[in-house]
């Protein structure tokens, strides 16, 4: 809670309080008005005196709200927006970096840049998933080149897993999109998943907006075929493709059933050379399976198609399917509804992310919470009481 | 040996060890073999192999009955640089001074089937080998060297058909008929996909080419080794000795099957298959490997029921390990090479290359090449070692180790067989992954001082040594090659050339034709290496490698130490200040296919907490710049080993500037002679990391830099 509120609530005068923590009333009023940010020690003192009610964040948060961009920053923002609009790859890349940044100041910059964006419903956002090695990158490479020939501008966001242990990552997708990555009409950006998958979703969604602003009208999002990343991606694209290997009879290929259920289109890749037969069998099996598992979603018929990404075969059919799908969705307005509802979804995503972040920062530092932990440990209170107290505390002091 | 004696020994040993048990002295080799401190007669009672006699199956003791007692091994130094003229001079100098057979190193443009005027090879012409564009260059290369008498080994795999065709055509020009040509063509494409990276076409057509060559040589060049099945490059890329052994034999099986499918009889070609090992610092392990290989190969071939015993005998070339040689305190390398050469000789090699002490700096100078050559001459002529055949046979330790290696290698071969053979295993990336793991482990051991390299992580020299190096003006070589190419294209009959190129395309489309046969005619009529390659490429396509990277191996092997902890805090601080992890793009530009260092840097840095982007092999500087910009990295890490840095790095920096991205930092690593550091720094390169770089220290430097 803000210091001003705290003093009012507890009926403490400015003079009294300034004496208590050993500063002049003048400085205190400056702190209260937000004109100045107190030194770290003083912030901590206030934190202690108010038993955690007025936390460091209250001061810094204040700063954020009242912050105005200085003229340098404003020129930067204007410049970036303009360059972005003109399709500068450098500006686009830097904006995506800002989107991905953990710094508050960068997040604010991004918001400012976003203010200038216009709604653009002429793009197609395509999610691609499948087990490692199924050929997602190769598929995007070939389909991407195919679309560039049809005078589209193609962008790819690839999400690579970060190591749990070190936090680092290896981003190698471009090596598998060799021709696309050097095509001037394509833009490929691999990003580390960086631990929390929800985070990926939010950043990726914002990155999509940047790509569209820069003139890319086909956006691919590639994820590894494991974990919850798929559902996150599902929630930010217009059409969701699942790639399968020609297994020729083997059951579900390590890919979770749930993911198949998200698919708008299933594609059996590598239908070439000695795998062609196996691909046909897989196609037939999945076509059968789909009829049994029942209801098509989004009012449309799911299909199973085949392709060879290596030989660029089968793309006419696939692209017809995608266009058909999008047109139908636009006709019955689902397309727009979907994009709208996705926006709210990722807003909530972002909210719950931030909330989680606040909580996890707090529980390791906050004296009040540490005290409660201690009490639980010593069996002074039980877990239910403890969680009630903590939630109460957060509601009163943090949110 | 009496049990009592053994007990007595054990007793006194344990006394010397005080409170430690004898097992404490066991040594776990990187291959996973447990080596004991003492071997006895008991250890050779149940061997996996037969020791036997030299010159008769199973050939464990050597492919010839008299071995060096009658004739020493062939001193065959791998060499080639600049133009054909320059290399020709170098060969003649060597031949005057004890070299007995030639071994041609081609430049990377030739390896990858590009003529010297191709835009993708601006940094590669004449740099890491000799530039050969056509039969005319080949004529110059062997000018004054009668091919009728000289055995010539050629390391060529990607552009193997055009280059072998030029060689045969050049022999014919000298008046040497095909059947009199002696030597070896490497022609081992499988390990290119695995570790050496000078492939051109996809695996399938590449295997057809291998078979075409085996078939043609078995009929027309009976004294020529049609293939040199190479483990050498695997060990150099990081494989341990068991991996080298197993994967090479597995490759061999694949080639035999391909030739048999052609309808050849095993005895038509098996006697002309040859092998190639790397010999590193683990002395006994290397000797054991060579003996194990001979035994295992004879077992493998036996299954094909040959009638000629020669089909069962494994003949091999060896090269001392380049990767065991370091930049720091470089004269130590002479000692290392000597030890390795001894192992190759005790292992019974048929020919040998010894490396020069400036290996980690550049191509050898006449001075360093001379010492390398003399190392062999001294062993051959001053030590008496060559008077006795297979002198270590019967050694308890050696025979037991040989037997252990056979067991371990057979396990690995089984893994490959289970995957459906080597071609399948390579498609799945199995051997490559295993080798990269082994390379990452080794680096982690060195970086955390568990493995000693004198002069690098222990007993470091206090003074800088200045070592003269060979430096090649590749712009000049390229200009010369291009002007020769232009002359050639003006002087030849281009109508005939066109016809031949069409014929090559037809042959590529028609498996019943032999591509080598067609290309020999084309080469005679002055089609260039690049043109012949393009004709085949039109049908086969050019292969790109799908790069896979391993993770977690480096950090698991490296011991936690204060360096690693401080990297962690550095990175945390970095994230707090900049909002994201340090992000580095590791690039390989030009035709330089040395990717061991780049892969290692990528996996180790990500294990240390960096976000690492990996570029594909063979990027141009402009492509690398674009990737850096799109991914918005903090720094580009150029890994360069084939001497292209002086051409490529300036182009990269120029590209960054043109794209308004000069704030992206550039650093370089790899084989860069100290003489070039200033040049790079002046260009704007922030830091250079040479061979022997400790990755953990480099990580700290880089975080500080960005
Ligand atoms: C291993 C090796 C090979 C292997 C490569 C396997 C592979 N997949 O990488 C094989 C046997 C296949 C090979 C083949 C050839 N090789 Co070679 N090879 C070497 C050797 C012996 C070691 C290189 C190595 O991998 N070292 C181990 C790694 C871990 O070290 P590193 O790459 O130096 O990386 C360290 C540092 O440099 C630094 N670093 C490197 N990159 C980066 C990047 C960043 C960002 C950072 C921070 C740090 C950093 O950190 C690393 C860790 O310490 C060197 C000589 C030597 N001792 O250096 C010759 C050498 C590089 N090869 C050479 C040549 C000529 C060739 C061939 C062209 C020969 C030919 N004509 O056919 C072929 C062609 C290969 C190709 N496709 O390009 C020459 C190059 C000559 C020159 N520069 O003038 C050398 C120098 C040998 C010599 N003196 O003649 N080679
Ligand atoms: N035969 C054949 N091989 C293919 C095809 N598509 C991809 N591949 C091969 O399959 C392997 C994996 O392809 P990638 O595109 O890297 O697969 P991915 O799904 O992106 O892999 P991850 O990013 O690691 O999850 C590569 O060796 C490709 O060459 C295809 O259509 N046919
Ligand atoms: Mg991929």
């Amino acid at each position: 809670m803000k210091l001003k509120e705290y003093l009012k609530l507890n009926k403490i005068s400015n003079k009294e309080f300034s004496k208590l923590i050993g500063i002049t009333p003048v400085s205190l009023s400056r702190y209260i008005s937000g004109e100045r940010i107190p030194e770290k020690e003083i912030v901590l003192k206030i934190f202690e005196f108010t038993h955690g009610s007025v936390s460091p964040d209250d001061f810094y948060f204040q700063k954020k709200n009242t912050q105005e961009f200085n003229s340098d920053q404003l020129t930067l923002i204007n410049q970036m927006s303009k360059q972005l609009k003109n399709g500068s790859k450098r500006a686009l890349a830097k904006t995506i970096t800002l989107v991905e940044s953990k710094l508050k100041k960068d997040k604010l910059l991004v918001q400012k840049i976003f203010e200038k964006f216009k709604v653009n419903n002429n793009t197609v956002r395509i999610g691609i998933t499948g087990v490692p090695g199924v050929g997602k990158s190769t598929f995007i490479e070939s389909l991407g080149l195919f679309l560039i020939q049809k005078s589209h501008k193609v962008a790819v966001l690839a999400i690579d897993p970060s190591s749990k242990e070190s936090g680092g990552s290896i981003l190698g997708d471009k090596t598998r999109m060799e021709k696309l990555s050097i095509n001037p009409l394509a833009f490929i950006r691999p990003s580390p998943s960086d631990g929390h998958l929800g985070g990926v979703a939010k950043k990726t969604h914002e990155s999509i907006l940047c790509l569209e602003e820069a003139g890319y009208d086909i956006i691919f999002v590639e994820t590894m075929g494991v974990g919850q990343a798929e559902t996150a991606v599902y929630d930010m694209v217009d059409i969701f493709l699942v790639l399968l290997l020609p297994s020729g009879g083997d059951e579900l290929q390590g890919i979770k059933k749930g993911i198949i259920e998200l698919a708008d289109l299933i594609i059996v890749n590598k239908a070439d050379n000695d795998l062609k037969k196996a691909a046909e069998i897989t196609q037939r099996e999945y076509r059968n399976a789909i009829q049994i598992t029942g209801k098509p979603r989004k009012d449309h018929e799911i299909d199973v198609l085949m392709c060879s990404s290596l030989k660029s075969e089968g793309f006419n059919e696939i692209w017809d399917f995608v266009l058909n799908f999008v047109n139908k969705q636009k006709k019955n307005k689902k397309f727009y509804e979907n994009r709208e509802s996705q926006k709210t979804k990722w807003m909530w995503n972002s909210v719950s992310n931030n909330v989680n972040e606040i909580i996890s920062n707090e529980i390791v530092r906050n004296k009040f919470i540490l005290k409660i932990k201690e009490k639980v440990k010593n069996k002074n209170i039980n877990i239910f009481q403890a969680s009630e107290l903590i939630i109460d505390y957060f509601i009163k002091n943090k949110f | 040996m009496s049990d009592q004696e053994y007990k007595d020994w054990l007793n006194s040993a344990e006394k010397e060890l005080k409170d430690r048990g004898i097992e404490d002295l066991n040594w776990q080799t990187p291959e996973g073999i447990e080596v004991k401190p003492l071997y006895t007669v008991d250890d050779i009672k149940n061997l996996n192999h037969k020791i036997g006699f030299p010159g008769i199956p199973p050939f464990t003791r050597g492919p010839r009955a008299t071995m060096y007692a009658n004739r020493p091994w062939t001193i065959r130094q791998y060499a080639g640089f600049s133009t054909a003229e320059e290399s020709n001079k170098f060969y003649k100098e060597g031949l005057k001074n004890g070299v007995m057979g030639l071994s041609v190193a081609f430049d990377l443009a030739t390896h990858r089937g590009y003529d010297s005027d191709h835009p993708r090879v601006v940094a590669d012409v004449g740099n890491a080998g000799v530039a050969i564009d056509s039969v005319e260059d080949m004529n110059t290369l062997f000018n004054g060297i009668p091919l009728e008498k000289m055995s010539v080994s050629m390391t060529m795999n990607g552009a193997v058909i055009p280059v072998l065709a030029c060689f045969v055509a050049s022999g014919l020009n000298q008046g040497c008929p095909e059947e009199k040509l002696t030597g070896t063509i490497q022609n081992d494409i499988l390990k290119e996909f695995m570790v050496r990276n000078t492939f051109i076409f996809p695996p399938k057509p590449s295997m057809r080419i291998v078979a075409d060559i085996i078939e043609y040589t078995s009929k027309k060049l009976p004294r020529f080794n049609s293939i040199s099945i190479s483990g050498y490059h695997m060990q150099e890329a990081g494989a341990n000795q068991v991996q080298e052994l197993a994967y090479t034999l597995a490759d061999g099986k694949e080639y035999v099957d391909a030739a048999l499918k052609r309808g050849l009889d095993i005895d038509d070609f098996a006697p002309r298959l040859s092998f190639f090992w790397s010999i590193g610092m683990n002395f006994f392990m290397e000797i054991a490997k060579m003996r194990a290989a001979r035994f295992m190969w004879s077992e493998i071939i036996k299954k094909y029921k040959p009638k000629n015993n020669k089909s069962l005998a494994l003949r091999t070339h060896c090269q001392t390990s380049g990767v065991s040689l370091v930049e720091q305190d470089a004269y130590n390398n002479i000692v290392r090479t000597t030890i390795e050469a001894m192992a190759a000789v005790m292992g019974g090699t048929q020919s040998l290359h010894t490396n020069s002490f400036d290996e980690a700096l550049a191509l050898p100078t006449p001075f360093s090449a001379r010492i390398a050559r003399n190392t062999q001459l001294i062993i051959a002529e001053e030590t008496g070692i060559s008077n006795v055949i297979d002198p270590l046979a019967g050694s308890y330790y050696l025979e037991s180790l040989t037997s252990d290696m056979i067991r371990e290698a057979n396990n690995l071969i089984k893994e490959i067989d289970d995957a459906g053979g080597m071609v399948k295993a390579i498609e799945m990336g199995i051997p490559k992954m295993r080798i990269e793991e082994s390379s990452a482990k080794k680096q982690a051991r060195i970086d955390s001082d568990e493995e000693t390299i004198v002069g690098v992580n222990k007993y470091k020299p206090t003074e800088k040594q200045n070592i003269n190096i060979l430096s090649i003006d590749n712009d000049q070589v390229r200009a010369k090659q291009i002007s020769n190419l232009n002359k050639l294209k003006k002087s030849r009959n281009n109508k005939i050339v066109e016809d031949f190129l069409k014929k090559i395309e037809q042959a590529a489309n028609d498996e019943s034709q032999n591509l080598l046969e067609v290309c020999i005619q084309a080469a005679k009529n002055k089609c260039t290496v690049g043109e012949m390659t393009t004709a085949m490429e039109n049908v086969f396509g050019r292969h790109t490698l799908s790069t896979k990277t391993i993770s977690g191996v480096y950090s698991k092997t490296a011991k936690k130490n204060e360096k690693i902890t401080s990297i962690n805090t550095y990175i945390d601080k970095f994230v707090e200040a900049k909002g994201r992890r340090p992000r580095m793009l590791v690039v390989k530009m030009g035709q330089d296919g040395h990717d061991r260092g780049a892969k290692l840097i990528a996996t180790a840095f990500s294990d240390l907490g960096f976000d690492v982007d990996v570029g594909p092999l063979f990027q141009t500087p402009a492509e690398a710049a674009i990737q850096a910009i799109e991914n918005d990295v903090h720094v580009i890490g150029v890994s360069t080993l084939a001497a292209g840095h002086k051409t490529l790095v300036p182009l990269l920096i120029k590209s960054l500037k043109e794209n308004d991205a000069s704030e992206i930092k550039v650093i370089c690593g790899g084989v860069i002679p100290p003489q070039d550091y200033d040049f790079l720094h002046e260009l704007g390169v922030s830091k250079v990391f040479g061979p022997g770089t400790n990755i953990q220290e480099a990580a700290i430097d880089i975080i500080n830099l960005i």
Side-chain angles (χ1 to χ4, degrees), chain B residues 27 31 235 241 278-291 335-347 379 385 391-392 395 397-398 401-402 405:
Chain B
W27 167 41
E31 290 75 20
Q235 185 176 148
Q241 275 91 326
S278 172
I279 303 296
M281 288 301 283
N282 192 346
F283 188 80
F284 286 100
M285 187 76 84
E286 293 295 7
I287 301 171
K289 175 181 81 190
M290 292 177 71
R291 302 172 86 252
V335 183
R336 295 192 177 99
T337 298
T338 308
I339 294 168
E340 293 167 347
M342 297 262 289
V345 168
M346 306 260 204
I379 297 174
I385 290 175
L392 288 180
S395 147
Y397 173 37
L398 185 74
L401 195 58
T402 305
M405 288 199 80

Side-chain angles (χ1 to χ4, degrees), chain B residues 146-173:
Chain B
L147 292 176
E148 211 172 311
K149 297 203 187 94
M150 179 58 55
S151 104
V152 177
S153 159
M154 281 177 289
T155 299
M156 182 49 67
N157 305 276
V160 61
I161 294 260
V163 168
L164 186 54
C166 288
F167 175 77
V168 173
S170 179
L172 294 172
N173 281 343

Side-chain angles (χ1 to χ4, degrees), chain A residues 90 97 102 166 169 171 174 190, chain B residues 579 583 611-612 631-632 663:
Chain A
R90 182 87 186 116
T97 301
K102 295 194 171 82
S166 72
S169 63
L171 308 147
K174 270 198 199 176
Chain B
R583 186 162 178 172
D611 285 328
V612 183
N631 297 13
D632 196 23
E663 75 269 24

Side-chain angles (χ1 to χ4, degrees), chain A residues 83 89-90 93-95 97 100-103 105-106 133 162-163 165-176 178-179 181-183 186-192 194 216 273-274, chain B residues 204 424 544-550 555 575-581 583 602-603 606-617 623 626-627 629-632 659-661 663-664:
Chain A
Q83 287 175 346
K89 287 191 171 182
R90 182 87 186 116
K94 279 180 158 173
T95 316
T97 301
E100 291 176 348
S101 172
K102 295 194 171 82
L103 299 186
K105 72 171 190 356
D106 292 345
S162 298
S163 150
E165 259 160 64
S166 72
S169 63
I170 296 196
L171 308 147
D173 295 87
K174 270 198 199 176
T175 61
R176 295 171 223 168
E178 232 177 327
K179 294 203 187 80
S181 70
I182 57 177
N183 194 301
F187 184 96
I188 306 179
R189 174 73 170 236
S191 293
D194 204 16
Y216 294 89
N273 300 333
D274 28 354
Chain B
K204 263 226 175 96
K424 280 266 145 51
T544 49
L545 208 61
S546 102
T547 319
K548 298 227 168 63
T549 30
I550 52 165
S555 56
V575 176
E576 250 170 61
K578 309 250 172 146
R580 58 171 177 155
R581 292 179 170 275
R583 186 162 178 172
T603 184
S606 81
D607 275 8
L608 293 171
F610 277 61
D611 285 328
V612 183
D613 294 85
V614 221
L617 276 176
E623 290 164 4
I626 290 188
Q627 184 172 0
I629 289 166
E630 286 186 14
N631 297 13
D632 196 23
N659 286 290
D660 195 20
E663 75 269 24
I664 295 179

Side-chain angles (χ1 to χ4, degrees), chain A residues 102 107 196 352-362:
Chain A
K102 295 194 171 82
K107 289 181 185 168
H196 32 85
S352 76
N353 261 320
N354 285 332
V355 168
N356 271 331
E357 209 168 293
I358 294 171
I359 293 178
S360 52
N361 279 342
E362 215 49 39

Side-chain angles (χ1 to χ4, degrees), chain B residues 78 106 111 128 195-196 322 359 362 593-596 639 641 670 690 693:
Chain B
Y78 187 37
F106 295 96
H111 269 300
V195 289
R196 192 168 174 276
E359 169 80 11
H594 291 90
D595 62 353
R596 176 179 180 168
S639 185
L641 284 92
T693 296

